Amino acid sequence: MKQLSGKAFISIVERRGWMLLRVHGSHHIYGKPGSIVRLSIPIHGNQPLKRGLLAYLMKAADLKEGDLE
């Protein structure tokens, strides 16, 4: 699986229709109209997201690995 920073992942989910709802510390909370799913994406500079967290966020956002490009 490709490693991404939180900033890079945010740009991908925003292109897919997710909107920033609020910021709580270093975590950006995203939601999508008509969905109860919330994504809490940590932004820690340009550090890559850990593999398990990235997999969880991708599943919650209904993204496939090919969508990360």
Side-chain angles (χ1 to χ4, degrees):
M1 182 178 297
K2 182 179 177 182
Q3 286 205 338
L4 292 173
S5 67
K7 291 178 185 178
F9 189 72
I10 280 178
S11 68
I12 292 169
V13 296
E14 284 179 343
R15 285 193 308 250
R16 296 293 212 168
W18 293 85
M19 297 182 306
L20 180 65
L21 301 175
R22 64 185 176 276
V23 176
H24 187 79
S26 63
H27 289 77
H28 292 218
I29 314 300
Y30 278 80
K32 200 170 193 178
S35 174
I36 61 170
V37 176
R38 296 292 180 254
L39 300 177
S40 177
I41 304 171
I43 306 297
H44 298 130
N46 282 328
Q47 290 183 341
L49 297 172
K50 302 235 173 157
R51 189 181 322 180
L53 176 61
L54 182 58
Y56 171 79
L57 290 172
M58 285 175 58
K59 184 176 181 181
D62 196 30
L63 297 173
K64 307 290 183 244
E65 192 157 344
D67 297 331
L68 298 181
E69 298 171 359

